[in-house]
Amino acid sequence: MSQNARKILVTSALPYANGPIHIGHLVEYIQTDIWVRFQKMCGNQCIYVCADDAHGTPIMLRARQQGIEPEQLIDSVSTEHRADFAEFNVAFDNYHSTHSEENRFFANTIYRRNREKGHISLRTITQAYDPVEKMFLPDRFIKGQCPKCGAQDQYGDNCEVCGASYSPSELINPVSAISGVTPEQRESEHHFFRLGDFESMLKQWTRGGHLQNEVSNKLDEWFAAGLQEWDISRDAPYFGFEIPDHPGKYFYVWMDAPIGYMASFKNLCDRSDDLAFDDFWKPASDAELYHFIGKDIIYFHALFWPAMLHGADYRTPTAIFSHGFLTVNGLKMSKSRGTFITARSYLDHLNPEYLRYYFAAKLGSGVDDLDLNLDDFIARVNADLVGKVVNIASRCAGFIHKQFGSRLADEIAEPALFAHFSAAGGAIAELYEKREFSRAVREIMTLADQANQYIDDKKPWVMAKQAGRETELHAVCSMGLNLFRQLIGYLRPILPATAALSEAFLRVEPLTWKALAIPLTGHEIAKFKPLLTRVERAQVDAMVEDSKENLEASRTAAPSGPLVDDPISGNVEFPDFAKVDLRVVRIVAAEQVEGADKLLQLTLDLGGETRNVFAGIKSAYAPESLPGRLTVMVANLAPRKMRFGLSEGMVLAAGPGGKDIFLLSPDSGAEPGMRVK
């Protein structure tokens, strides 16, 4: 590290430890990883840490459904997350968990310091309680109508339509997302963080160049509405850290989740002789601290987080970089369309470098949403990476290997052209620094066009057939490989695996930004091997097909409101809807379905009549746990012949899917055969 190198700590938002990584998540981790790799290429000390967000009610409930301890669940998910990130070449310097002693220490410390300064208050509140599940409901487990814009089926803490934040008690017509019953209101004493104490500090901080302008403008709306106290506690049962001196009360997951950034870094420091925690987190630190997050969690990161840190005498972030959401083919990711693609599904079919490049080619510094158009994806990867960049090396390397003993010429044939490529490095570096990756890609591809034009003009394949032109052929092909080296160096933050293969081919050390301005002459290279292959339509189609849920399974798992993945297109009039015969049924028996990943075979009691139904709830329930439970079925569907047998109806369930699919409890008061109106 040079004497003038910057000290930079970078984080991405913590993935929740109750499900797999999908390509929507990867936008953020790839964006962050590209920026970190660029900083390291420039010689800066740039440290990238992350962790699994491992606390909260959803994890507790999912572990309960699986019959395991929450610790077993989060350990299993962590293994999957780490493997997916590694294969996408997201190179964390440390990956940890919020369920760690480091996180407990910092959560307690931040809480205690703010409490001692009067920023924590205690008061009794009325809170939603699920009488069926016998638990207080977290905000995200209450659904209802947004009190601000009227949007249906919104969570209890914020509206995904208008972005408003509110308390669950303000929801119109709330229901429990677990049991579907209307919550009761019960009293409980809670801990509150007095966010309003920091209004002056936050107004200055949010307008101090730490946020994108769009984000600062959005935060002004919250200031105008008045900063509300933040409930940082939850009642047992809850999977998390118990609040010191308050048995039965736990830190809310969003209180200790961002503290996971500190915990992961501390875990790394404790294993390193070169890093000191205080050098990066003390108030007067000269180190830079950056958080990359999605625009949906701005409120927590740009208001609560800097306020908590300031109140606990820690430094605040240098900047928070927000990004938009991912759509696929212009639409929200969908399981039935096969566009809700997990990281593992993608990796089963395609090279991760392709997605890294495509995201980079679309990413800017703003918070606009990003679309993955699969046709454009195929065309762009094939045209840019295979047709332009890799093509340069493949066109030149064979001649160097066969006719010149794999040795490059001793001089650069076109110094002015090489200098032009070198000079472009400054502008490209500035674009990387500003996170304008799409513009950086355009600049690099412009250079690639120029390199290919140079080779087209010189026609080395013609020279190779003409006697007496060996020196010229050697010079042209050596020049082409030098231009390729510069291009692959500029792309190295985006394409680390391809760059590593290229470095092995060129027999050079890992490329740095400075090294790209120095030509490679009189140097022996290895025999060229294909670096990337074309994307075939069949690969993409297979990935989409494998990502589709069985239609019956997706219908079975479809919960109410916005959790329904794909409602039937068009409007359904009430008279048509009224024809649907919904009945409460009791599960008499449940069996595995051989050859089906998501289905269970259920025998259902409608109150004197039994039906056989295949239901896609295997991800949430072991067969032996189901007999005796209640659910709701559509009883007047025509029998459907499936390859596993005849399905005589359709089961309904609620929840976000995966492990979180919820049926009625045996003691809910419903009886088999009852109509649901």
Side-chain angles (χ1 to χ4, degrees):
M1 187 176 71
S2 66
Q3 190 173 1
N4 298 322
R6 296 154 60 187
K7 292 195 303 182
I8 307 170
L9 178 59
V10 180
T11 74
S12 295
L14 312 186
Y16 201 46
N18 76 331
I21 302 298
H22 59 67
I23 59 172
H25 296 133
L26 286 169
V27 170
E28 180 172 309
Y29 302 102
I30 288 173
Q31 181 190 35
T32 314
D33 185 75
I34 290 171
W35 198 77
V36 168
R37 287 179 182 274
F38 164 71
Q39 297 296 344
K40 291 183 176 182
M41 274 190 75
C42 292
N44 294 319
Q45 182 187 30
C46 189
I47 301 159
Y48 183 17
V49 300
C50 197
D52 269 352
D53 180 4
H55 288 156
T57 301
I59 287 172
M60 177 187 74
L61 292 176
R62 180 178 167 187
R64 183 189 300 172
Q65 290 164 2
Q66 293 187 6
I68 61 176
E69 294 299 318
E71 289 83 358
Q72 292 175 267
L73 173 63
I74 62 176
D75 286 348
S76 173
V77 172
S78 177
T79 299
E80 295 174 4
H81 285 182
R82 291 169 189 259
D84 289 345
F85 285 134
E87 290 194 50
F88 270 95
N89 299 309
V90 177
F92 301 112
D93 290 288
N94 194 52
Y95 195 85
H96 203 38
S97 170
T98 59
H99 193 63
S100 65
E101 287 308 308
E102 296 93 345
N103 208 43
R104 187 193 300 273
F105 170 81
F106 287 113
N108 289 347
T109 300
I110 288 174
Y111 166 78
R112 186 184 69 252
R113 290 179 180 179
N114 276 287
R115 184 191 62 193
E116 290 171 352
K117 294 180 181 180
H119 301 313
I120 304 291
S121 63
L122 279 174
R123 71 171 187 267
T124 299
I125 64 170
T126 302
Q127 191 179 5
Y129 183 85
D130 187 323
V132 174
E133 294 295 328
K134 297 179 173 55
M135 61 181 290
F136 285 101
L137 291 169
D139 297 350
R140 301 291 281 186
F141 278 77
I142 307 171
K143 308 284 286 186
Q145 188 177 348
C146 172
K148 309 294 184 182
C149 73
Q152 298 285 344
D153 298 306
Q154 296 304 308
Y155 291 115
D157 54 358
N158 74 285
C159 177
E160 293 184 334
V161 176
C162 70
S165 294
Y166 42 73
S167 67
S169 62
E170 296 177 85
L171 273 179
I172 301 170
N173 298 324
V175 296
S176 166
I178 304 175
S179 67
V181 302
T182 300
E184 296 178 357
Q185 296 298 312
R186 297 193 182 183
E187 289 189 344
S188 178
E189 187 179 57
H190 275 237
H191 299 65
F192 288 84
F193 179 68
R194 298 167 57 91
L195 186 63
D197 293 355
F198 300 88
E199 182 172 359
S200 177
M201 168 260 170
L202 287 171
K203 282 184 174 179
Q204 182 177 358
W205 187 85
T206 58
R207 285 294 178 183
H210 306 288
L211 305 168
Q212 295 129 306
N213 288 334
E214 309 98 301
V215 174
S216 297
N217 293 337
K218 182 65 179 178
L219 292 178
D220 283 346
E221 298 176 16
W222 282 313
F223 284 121
L227 299 181
Q228 303 298 311
E229 290 189 339
W230 181 35
D231 187 348
I232 61 169
S233 61
R234 292 295 183 267
D235 292 280
Y238 195 78
F239 182 60
F241 293 140
E242 202 166 31
I243 298 176
D245 304 322
H246 288 82
K249 301 291 181 179
Y250 292 80
F251 286 128
Y252 175 39
V253 60
W254 261 111
M255 194 270 186
D256 69 50
I259 295 172
Y261 304 142
M262 306 172 77
S264 185
F265 183 64
K266 182 63 165 66
N267 178 261
L268 178 64
C269 290
D270 289 345
R271 295 181 286 105
S272 171
D273 296 329
D274 304 321
L275 292 173
F277 181 86
D278 287 345
D279 288 349
F280 286 78
W281 286 97
K282 63 185 179 183
S285 172
D286 61 352
E288 302 166 48
L289 172 62
Y290 299 101
H291 302 307
F292 285 74
I293 64 168
K295 64 182 180 182
D296 56 326
I297 53 175
I298 287 169
Y299 193 76
F300 295 104
H301 280 80
L303 291 177
F304 295 125
W305 179 231
M308 286 197 310
L309 288 169
H310 184 75
D313 299 322
Y314 289 112
R315 59 89 48 80
T316 53
T318 306
I320 296 174
F321 301 136
S322 303
H323 62 82
F325 301 135
L326 179 71
T327 57
V328 181
N329 293 335
L331 299 170
K332 183 178 179 180
M333 293 193 302
S334 160
K335 291 181 179 178
S336 65
R337 286 190 297 267
T339 56
F340 192 96
I341 303 166
T342 65
R344 187 53 47 186
S345 293
Y346 179 97
L347 291 166
D348 286 342
H349 297 278
L350 293 165
N351 186 330
E353 300 275 277
Y354 299 155
L355 193 66
R356 289 180 64 102
Y357 177 75
Y358 190 80
F359 282 171
K362 305 273 271 187
L363 277 165
S365 60
V367 295
D368 295 334
D369 291 345
L370 171 71
D371 185 54
L372 168 58
N373 181 287
L374 294 175
D375 290 332
D376 183 50
F377 169 78
I378 295 170
R380 187 172 295 213
V381 168
N382 289 342
D384 290 359
L385 297 185
V386 181
K388 293 181 181 181
V389 178
V390 172
N391 191 45
I392 297 169
S394 65
R395 297 171 86 184
C396 298
F399 297 117
I400 296 293
H401 176 69
K402 292 176 183 177
Q403 300 195 34
F404 306 104
S406 295
R407 191 171 186 83
L408 300 178
D410 291 334
E411 295 181 356
I412 286 291
E414 302 284 348
L417 181 59
F418 184 87
H420 168 68
F421 272 53
S422 298
I428 294 170
E430 185 175 355
L431 292 172
Y432 270 122
E433 177 69 38
K434 295 179 177 179
R435 307 177 325 285
E436 294 288 357
F437 298 161
S438 63
R439 292 174 57 191
V441 165
R442 286 198 295 272
E443 292 293 328
I444 296 167
M445 287 304 132
T446 297
L447 294 176
D449 287 335
Q450 294 170 6
N452 278 291
Q453 187 61 54
Y454 167 77
I455 296 170
D456 288 342
D457 291 344
K458 296 298 183 180
K459 296 180 174 59
W461 56 91
V462 174
M463 292 181 188
K465 298 177 182 178
Q466 297 174 339
R469 300 191 69 183
E470 290 80 9
T471 300
E472 189 178 359
L473 174 65
H474 196 194
V476 167
C477 291
S478 296
M479 182 69 195
L481 289 178
N482 266 279
L483 298 180
F484 166 76
R485 173 176 167 270
Q486 288 179 300
L487 291 170
I488 206 67
Y490 293 147
L491 287 168
R492 194 176 192 274
I494 300 170
L495 305 174
T498 306
L501 291 173
S502 301
E503 289 157 356
F505 155 61
L506 295 170
R507 289 182 174 169
V508 296
E509 293 296 315
L511 294 167
T512 65
W513 211 259
K514 287 183 178 180
L516 299 178
I518 304 169
L520 198 62
T521 57
H523 178 82
E524 186 175 319
I525 63 174
K527 184 178 180 180
F528 180 78
K529 297 178 182 178
L531 300 171
L532 288 170
T533 57
R534 290 175 57 83
V535 180
E536 300 298 336
R537 163 61 65 178
Q539 294 173 281
V540 174
D541 289 345
M543 175 185 69
V544 170
E545 192 61 33
D546 284 357
S547 298
K548 287 181 181 178
E549 284 195 336
N550 174 279
L551 183 58
E552 290 295 327
S554 64
R555 284 177 175 172
T556 300
S560 60
L563 299 183
V564 177
D565 179 46
D566 262 332
I568 299 171
S569 60
N571 295 319
V572 179
E573 299 296 333
F574 183 79
D576 293 324
F577 177 76
K579 297 175 184 177
V580 178
D581 184 8
L582 300 179
R583 299 288 188 98
V584 175
V585 292
R586 189 180 304 279
I587 301 173
V588 177
E591 298 176 8
Q592 302 278 2
V593 179
E594 187 174 352
D597 293 332
K598 302 179 176 67
L599 298 180
L600 293 177
Q601 183 175 0
L602 306 180
T603 301
L604 305 175
D605 176 15
L606 279 75
E609 176 188 1
T610 59
R611 296 274 188 93
N612 180 74
V613 172
F614 293 93
I617 58 175
K618 185 176 179 179
S619 62
Y621 294 96
E624 59 269 19
S625 70
L626 287 172
R629 292 194 72 104
L630 301 176
T631 187
V632 176
M633 75 171 293
V634 180
N636 61 338
L637 281 180
R640 180 187 180 94
K641 185 171 179 57
M642 303 175 66
R643 66 188 179 95
F644 309 106
L646 191 67
S647 188
E648 300 173 296
M650 182 172 69
V651 167
L652 304 181
K659 298 293 183 183
D660 299 325
I661 300 172
F662 307 113
L663 304 176
L664 300 178
S665 295
D667 58 353
S668 62
E671 291 294 333
M674 287 177 55
R675 289 184 182 273
V676 179
K677 298 182 179 180

